[in-house]
């Protein structure tokens, strides 16, 4: 009898958790708040439910309540990296700040690497903490050439930072030649930021010119783990290890993706290779 009761309780929790995740995937934040609160009422030791509640409240602009939810998650699980990161970053926001606007999901194809077609770029000259605190890993970003600088903006047009100069200049020339790129936040912190950039259309005039040169073997790195392709409350950018998370929503790019052999989730790149081809352009 006791076993059956425990089993029934586990099924109820699993069902409500799946419901909460589905609502978040659909950006139905008010409903997500209600479902996560019901989970917490029945399972007050569920740190994940507190994290999901914090995410939903953040999307509604209820930052003080969101921070309180993340605080409860830390009480339940002091080592929870998701809760810690968000608890800290929300200290820069007030409830009278405008809430994050609904954003379309980023295609998971953006994170599937193709040699020469995609890379993660460091951001320089970052925006204020208040602006960065509104962004999370996976949020779409826009690239905006401005002179010799390649700016990165939020979907709302807020400046976030600029692509490291060498890569920025290269991409500006290719964009001027007709190439198109999609971008999304790979990780964001108070004083660090990285953006994933992928070539989604190559203009015929740019044929033979790769967007992202190959690095030397000793600079080989793996930057995207399976969890980045999934819906995640937040990632842990400080450690470089992505937190376990639920599925991402997908939104396909409007233009057909450039052809290229998929290379999984790791890319070796040499910034010296192919530069001459671009400079001649």
């Amino acid at each position: 009898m006791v076993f059956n009761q425990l089993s029934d309780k586990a099924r109820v929790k699993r069902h409500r958790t799946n419901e909460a995740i589905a609502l978040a995937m659909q950006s139905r934040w008010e409903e997500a708040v209600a479902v996560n609160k019901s989970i917490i009422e029945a399972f007050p030791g569920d740190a994940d439910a507190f994290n999901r509640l914090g995410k939903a409240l953040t999307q509604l602009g209820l930052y003080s309540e969101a921070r309180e939810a993340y605080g409860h998650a830390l009480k339940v699980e002091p080592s929870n990296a998701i809760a810690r990161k968000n608890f800290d970053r929300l200290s820069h926001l007030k409830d009278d700040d405008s809430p994050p606007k609904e954003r379309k999901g980023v295609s998971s194809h953006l994170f599937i690497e193709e040699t020469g077609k995609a890379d993660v770029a460091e951001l320089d000259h970052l925006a204020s903490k208040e602006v960065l605190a509104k962004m999370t890993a996976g949020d779409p970003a826009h690239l905006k050439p401005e002179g010799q600088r390649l700016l990165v903006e939020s979907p709302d047009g807020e400046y976030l930072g600029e692509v490291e100069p060498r890569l920025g200049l290269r991409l500006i020339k290719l964009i001027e030649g007709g190439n198109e790129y999609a971008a999304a936040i790979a990780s964001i912190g108070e004083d660090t930021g990285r953006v994933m950039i992928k070539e989604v259309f190559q203009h015929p005039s740019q044929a033979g010119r790769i967007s992202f040169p190959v690095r030397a073997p000793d600079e080989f790195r793996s930057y995207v783990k399976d969890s980045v392709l999934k819906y995640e409350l937040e990632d842990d950018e400080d450690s470089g290890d992505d937190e376990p998370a639920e599925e991402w929503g997908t939104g396909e790019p409007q233009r057909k993706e450039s052809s290229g052999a998929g290379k999984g989730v790791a890319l070796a790149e040499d910034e010296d290779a192919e530069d001459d081809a671009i400079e001649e352009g």
Side-chain angles (χ1 to χ4, degrees):
M1 176 66 73
V2 174
F3 175 80
N4 288 336
Q5 290 176 340
L6 291 174
S7 181
D8 290 342
K9 195 172 183 180
R11 278 196 293 269
V12 169
K13 181 180 180 180
R14 184 169 60 250
H15 173 75
R16 290 184 182 177
T17 297
N18 290 338
E19 182 182 3
I21 293 168
L23 290 169
M25 293 288 292
Q26 299 169 54
S27 298
R28 293 162 62 182
W29 301 115
E30 287 97 347
E31 295 168 81
V33 166
V35 172
N36 282 302
K37 283 184 175 180
S38 72
I39 295 173
I40 291 168
E41 184 177 351
F43 306 94
D46 189 340
D48 290 337
F50 279 114
N51 280 338
R52 288 193 301 270
L53 176 60
K55 173 71 172 181
L57 290 168
T58 299
Q59 292 301 124
L60 294 171
L62 301 174
Y63 302 122
S64 58
E65 291 184 42
R67 194 166 188 262
E68 184 178 351
Y70 287 121
H72 282 301
L74 287 172
K75 288 179 182 178
V76 173
E77 193 176 302
S79 62
N80 192 296
I82 293 174
R84 172 55 60 190
K85 186 186 73 171
N86 286 285
F87 182 82
D88 291 342
R89 79 185 181 92
L90 286 172
S91 64
H92 303 298
L93 296 176
K94 300 176 294 185
D95 284 346
D96 56 359
D97 289 334
S98 58
K101 294 182 180 178
E102 183 176 333
R103 297 171 180 146
K104 293 182 179 179
V106 177
S107 170
S108 60
H109 290 86
L110 180 62
F111 293 96
I112 298 196
E113 188 165 351
E114 299 172 52
T115 300
K117 300 290 185 181
D119 195 11
V120 171
E122 299 291 334
L123 293 182
D124 293 337
H125 308 297
L126 291 168
S128 67
K129 294 177 181 179
E130 288 76 13
V131 172
L132 297 179
K134 298 177 184 178
M135 304 298 294
T136 60
D139 283 345
H142 295 159
L143 301 180
K144 180 182 178 181
E146 189 172 281
Q148 295 187 322
R149 302 163 62 211
L150 184 57
L151 309 185
V152 179
E153 297 182 342
S154 73
D156 306 324
E158 286 188 289
Y159 170 85
L160 301 176
E162 62 181 84
V163 175
E164 52 194 276
R166 186 169 184 175
L167 177 59
L169 284 170
R170 184 186 193 91
L171 294 179
I172 287 172
K173 291 181 180 180
L174 291 169
I175 290 171
E176 290 173 346
N179 277 16
E180 295 179 14
Y181 297 86
I185 298 300
S187 65
I188 201 78
E190 291 186 356
D191 53 9
T192 59
R194 296 188 304 158
V195 62
M196 174 72 187
I197 305 173
K198 185 169 185 177
E199 177 189 301
V200 293
F201 174 74
Q202 185 180 70
H203 192 274
S205 66
Q206 306 303 308
R209 295 180 175 180
I210 64 173
S211 293
F212 305 97
V214 179
R215 292 183 190 273
D218 61 348
E219 295 183 83
F220 186 91
R221 63 191 167 139
S222 174
Y223 67 84
V224 179
K225 297 188 177 182
D226 290 342
S227 57
V228 176
L229 302 181
K230 300 176 182 179
Y231 175 80
E232 58 182 10
L233 297 171
E234 304 294 342
D235 72 333
D236 183 15
E237 73 275 5
D238 294 331
S239 67
D241 293 331
D242 298 300
E243 296 295 328
E246 292 81 12
E247 294 231 34
W248 277 93
T250 58
E252 297 302 323
Q254 294 180 349
R255 299 295 297 271
K256 184 177 180 181
E257 253 186 50
S258 300
S259 61
K263 297 296 180 182
V265 295
L267 178 64
E269 297 212 334
D270 177 14
E271 302 209 353
D272 293 326
E274 302 296 335
D275 277 347
D276 291 340
I278 297 300
E279 295 301 326
E280 293 172 3

Short mmCIF file of all heavy atoms in Angstrom, two decimals, residues 19 37 40 45 72 90 98 100 168 175 221 236 239:
data_model
loop_
_atom_site.label_atom_id
_atom_site.label_comp_id
_atom_site.label_asym_id
_atom_site.label_seq_id
_atom_site.Cartn_x
_atom_site.Cartn_y
_atom_site.Cartn_z
N GLU A 19 4.16 19.10 -17.64
CA GLU A 19 3.23 20.17 -17.98
C GLU A 19 3.90 21.54 -17.83
O GLU A 19 3.75 22.41 -18.70
CB GLU A 19 2.00 20.10 -17.06
CG GLU A 19 0.94 21.15 -17.40
CD GLU A 19 -0.25 21.08 -16.46
OE1 GLU A 19 -0.23 20.26 -15.51
OE2 GLU A 19 -1.20 21.86 -16.66
N LYS A 37 4.03 26.41 -8.91
CA LYS A 37 3.64 26.64 -7.52
C LYS A 37 2.89 25.44 -6.96
O LYS A 37 3.06 25.08 -5.78
CB LYS A 37 2.78 27.90 -7.42
CG LYS A 37 3.59 29.20 -7.49
CD LYS A 37 2.70 30.41 -7.28
CE LYS A 37 3.53 31.70 -7.23
NZ LYS A 37 2.67 32.90 -7.04
N ILE A 40 5.47 22.86 -6.09
CA ILE A 40 6.19 23.22 -4.86
C ILE A 40 5.32 22.98 -3.63
O ILE A 40 5.82 22.54 -2.58
CB ILE A 40 6.64 24.69 -4.94
CG1 ILE A 40 7.74 24.83 -6.00
CG2 ILE A 40 7.12 25.19 -3.58
CD1 ILE A 40 8.06 26.25 -6.38
N GLY A 45 10.58 20.34 -1.50
CA GLY A 45 12.02 20.12 -1.63
C GLY A 45 12.48 20.00 -3.07
O GLY A 45 13.61 19.57 -3.32
N HIS A 72 14.92 30.23 -2.65
CA HIS A 72 14.37 29.00 -2.06
C HIS A 72 15.08 27.77 -2.64
O HIS A 72 15.34 26.79 -1.92
CB HIS A 72 12.87 28.91 -2.32
CG HIS A 72 12.05 29.78 -1.41
ND1 HIS A 72 12.07 29.66 -0.04
CD2 HIS A 72 11.18 30.78 -1.69
CE1 HIS A 72 11.26 30.55 0.50
NE2 HIS A 72 10.70 31.26 -0.49
N LEU A 90 19.79 38.67 -10.86
CA LEU A 90 18.54 39.39 -10.67
C LEU A 90 18.67 40.52 -9.65
O LEU A 90 17.78 41.36 -9.54
CB LEU A 90 17.43 38.43 -10.23
CG LEU A 90 16.90 37.53 -11.35
CD1 LEU A 90 15.95 36.48 -10.79
CD2 LEU A 90 16.20 38.35 -12.43
N SER A 98 11.28 46.97 -17.57
CA SER A 98 10.39 46.29 -18.51
C SER A 98 10.71 44.81 -18.56
O SER A 98 11.89 44.42 -18.58
CB SER A 98 10.53 46.89 -19.91
OG SER A 98 11.87 46.79 -20.35
N PRO A 100 11.17 40.96 -20.01
CA PRO A 100 11.67 40.46 -21.30
C PRO A 100 10.51 40.22 -22.25
O PRO A 100 9.46 39.72 -21.84
CB PRO A 100 12.37 39.15 -20.93
CG PRO A 100 12.64 39.25 -19.47
CD PRO A 100 11.52 40.06 -18.90
N GLY A 168 35.20 39.91 -36.38
CA GLY A 168 34.18 40.88 -36.77
C GLY A 168 34.44 41.48 -38.13
O GLY A 168 33.53 41.57 -38.97
N ILE A 175 29.40 39.77 -45.06
CA ILE A 175 28.02 40.27 -45.04
C ILE A 175 27.83 41.30 -46.16
O ILE A 175 26.81 41.29 -46.86
CB ILE A 175 27.70 40.90 -43.67
CG1 ILE A 175 27.63 39.80 -42.60
CG2 ILE A 175 26.38 41.68 -43.72
CD1 ILE A 175 27.53 40.32 -41.17
N ARG A 221 38.85 22.73 -29.33
CA ARG A 221 37.99 22.82 -28.15
C ARG A 221 36.60 22.34 -28.49
O ARG A 221 36.16 22.41 -29.63
CB ARG A 221 37.91 24.27 -27.67
CG ARG A 221 37.28 25.15 -28.70
CD ARG A 221 37.43 26.60 -28.37
NE ARG A 221 37.07 27.31 -29.59
CZ ARG A 221 36.35 28.40 -29.61
NH1 ARG A 221 35.93 28.91 -28.52
NH2 ARG A 221 36.03 28.99 -30.72
N ASP A 236 25.47 27.16 -17.15
CA ASP A 236 26.48 27.60 -16.21
C ASP A 236 27.71 28.02 -16.99
O ASP A 236 28.60 27.24 -17.24
CB ASP A 236 26.84 26.47 -15.25
CG ASP A 236 27.85 26.93 -14.21
OD1 ASP A 236 28.06 28.11 -14.05
OD2 ASP A 236 28.43 26.09 -13.57
N SER A 239 31.61 27.76 -15.64
CA SER A 239 32.37 26.51 -15.65
C SER A 239 32.52 25.96 -17.04
O SER A 239 33.35 25.11 -17.30
CB SER A 239 31.65 25.47 -14.78
OG SER A 239 30.42 25.12 -15.36
#
